[in-house]
Amino acid sequence: MKKIFSLFVLAMMVLVLAACGGGNDEAAEGSGSEGEGSGETKTIRAGIGLNDSHPQYLALLKWKEIVEEKTDGAIKVETYHSSQLGDDRAMTEALQLGSQEVTIPSTAPIANFVPEFSVFDFPFLFPNEQVADKVLDGEVGQKFLDKLEDQNLVGLAYWENGFRDITNNERPIESASDFEGLKLRTMENQLHLDAFDALGANPTPMAFGELFTAMQQGTVDGQENPIPTIYLQGFYEVQDYVSATHHIYSPFVFLMSKEFFDGLTEEQQTIVTEAAVEAGELNRELNREATAQNVEDLKAEGMNYNEVTPEARQEMVEIVQPVLDEYAEQIGQETVQEVYDAIEAAEAELE
């Protein structure tokens, strides 16, 4: 009887081991069905400083949709707006450390990491959006994106923040003299600080998330940003004047952590890059539509809006030119001239 019982126990053990072995085979087969590697889902945390109504965020949602669809869910994208993950500099540093995967800052904060990007923040550099598109999407623009890799960053595409204009509570900006004594919030970019200082303003670098309260409390008199940002952030609630100075055309740069990018398959790298370009086209389209509409919206909210004459703008150009000459030396005359030449070529092509 004991012999029969022992044989029964042995048979049951064999069946259990066989079942376990079959389960492992099935798991291995399931992981292989995801393609290369273990098939583990990769998660991208994509953060921006602007709110969820801005064309930048709407385009980011488009990028998320394309990436998740084309990777069959192998890459999941989590989106964060309104500086939920920090300001532009903090998020860019997080990309360098590999603790965040995507952010889309303006070129101004990027210049803290790659000084050559300061050239794109030269006041009155681009005459219009179409010329900016040609230059940024061309060979010269790509050369600048390539410089990011040394900072453990990958630049996938240029998006649009837009032409920056001035708001304040003191007076309309109609000539260079109207900058005198204005406490203006600027981004953390030394070129911006020096240019506004030359114009007679009192520039104050400040995190974007602190700006509304600072204007509300009178810590600063005003700020400078593109029209959609001015409207969608509700700055009309705490500002009286908006002046179309168009002093800087501000591109966004779609950044990805190099550590994360290098961990993607070649196919996934192509997908995220092409998606950034496609979503960037939507961003530009939405941003330009919003700019035209939001000027009227700001007027309707009671802001005093004024254009700036070409003569007044030229006066501003002449005042800041010594600052630009100084920065051209720092950046490298050859690099700056290459951008100027690309702008001239783009203007000729678009005539």
Side-chain angles (χ1 to χ4, degrees):
M1 187 69 179
K2 290 181 179 179
K3 184 175 181 181
I4 293 173
F5 179 74
S6 298
L7 289 172
F8 174 76
V9 172
L10 180 62
M12 291 299 295
M13 290 176 65
V14 169
L15 286 172
V16 170
L17 289 171
C20 291
N24 289 338
D25 288 343
E26 184 179 0
E29 183 180 0
S31 66
S33 67
E34 295 286 338
E36 294 183 30
S38 65
E40 180 183 353
T41 301
K42 299 179 176 71
T43 300
I44 291 175
R45 287 153 295 181
I48 63 170
L50 297 170
N51 67 28
D52 57 355
S53 297
H54 196 280
Q56 184 192 36
Y57 187 73
L58 301 180
L60 180 58
L61 293 179
K62 179 65 175 177
W63 183 78
K64 166 186 166 73
E65 176 189 325
I66 297 169
V67 168
E68 291 184 342
E69 179 182 341
K70 291 195 173 181
T71 62
D72 294 323
I75 296 178
K76 177 185 175 184
V77 181
E78 298 174 355
T79 58
Y80 300 86
H81 56 82
S82 306
S83 302
Q84 290 172 313
L85 299 182
D87 61 22
D88 284 340
R89 181 162 187 159
M91 288 190 284
T92 302
E93 289 173 347
L95 262 63
Q96 291 180 305
L97 296 171
S99 57
Q100 184 179 328
E101 291 70 41
V102 164
T103 190
I104 317 172
S106 296
T107 50
I110 293 176
N112 293 303
F113 304 89
V114 182
E116 290 90 338
F117 269 88
S118 288
V119 70
F120 292 129
D121 286 275
F122 275 22
F124 311 105
L125 179 69
F126 290 111
N128 55 56
E129 294 97 337
Q130 291 70 34
V131 168
D133 291 348
K134 282 279 185 185
V135 174
L136 296 171
D137 296 342
E139 183 181 343
V140 168
Q142 185 59 50
K143 283 185 179 181
F144 279 83
L145 295 183
D146 292 343
K147 296 176 187 294
L148 292 162
E149 294 202 11
D150 289 341
Q151 293 296 318
N152 206 29
L153 301 166
V154 177
L156 301 186
Y158 291 97
W159 287 17
E160 178 175 276
N161 193 1
F163 278 104
R164 305 180 77 86
D165 296 319
I166 301 287
T167 70
N168 79 96
N169 278 329
E170 296 295 322
R171 53 186 171 269
I173 305 297
E174 296 176 331
S175 67
S177 63
D178 292 320
F179 282 97
E180 190 64 38
L182 281 182
K183 292 181 291 183
L184 289 178
R185 176 268 176 184
T186 69
M187 289 185 284
E188 290 186 57
N189 179 279
Q190 195 59 46
L191 172 56
H192 282 217
L193 294 170
D194 291 344
F196 280 116
D197 187 61
L199 286 165
N202 180 12
T204 304
M206 181 183 297
F208 185 73
E210 302 170 7
L211 176 55
F212 187 95
T213 301
M215 291 189 294
Q216 190 175 45
Q217 296 177 346
T219 306
V220 294
D221 298 319
Q223 59 84 53
E224 47 88 47
N225 259 300
I227 290 292
T229 301
I230 294 168
Y231 177 71
L232 293 171
Q233 295 295 139
F235 291 167
Y236 52 82
E237 296 178 13
V238 291
Q239 296 277 271
D240 294 331
Y241 301 98
V242 55
S243 302
T245 51
H246 286 19
H247 52 279
I248 292 172
Y249 175 83
S250 186
F252 284 131
V253 181
F254 195 110
L255 296 179
M256 180 170 281
S257 164
K258 187 174 186 299
E259 178 182 328
F260 181 81
F261 185 80
D262 289 346
L264 299 177
T265 66
E266 187 174 332
E267 180 184 10
Q268 289 170 341
Q269 290 177 346
T270 299
I271 288 171
V272 298
T273 302
E274 291 181 349
V277 173
E278 182 177 343
E281 292 172 356
L282 175 64
N283 158 256
R284 287 172 175 170
E285 178 184 344
L286 294 176
N287 201 64
R288 290 164 195 180
E289 291 174 357
T291 298
Q293 178 58 49
N294 292 160
V295 166
E296 300 307 314
D297 295 332
L298 290 171
K299 292 178 184 177
E301 293 291 347
M303 289 197 81
N304 296 292
Y305 175 85
N306 71 282
E307 297 283 349
V308 176
T309 67
E311 293 77 17
R313 194 171 282 115
Q314 182 58 37
E315 180 189 11
M316 297 174 196
V317 171
E318 292 170 3
I319 290 172
V320 300
Q321 191 59 52
V323 175
L324 304 189
D325 293 341
E326 179 183 340
Y327 275 85
E329 288 292 335
Q330 295 178 20
I331 295 168
Q333 291 286 359
E334 184 177 341
T335 298
V336 173
Q337 190 59 50
E338 191 172 16
V339 173
Y340 284 146
D341 290 345
I343 291 171
E344 186 177 340
E347 287 183 285
E349 186 177 342
L350 291 168
E351 282 182 353

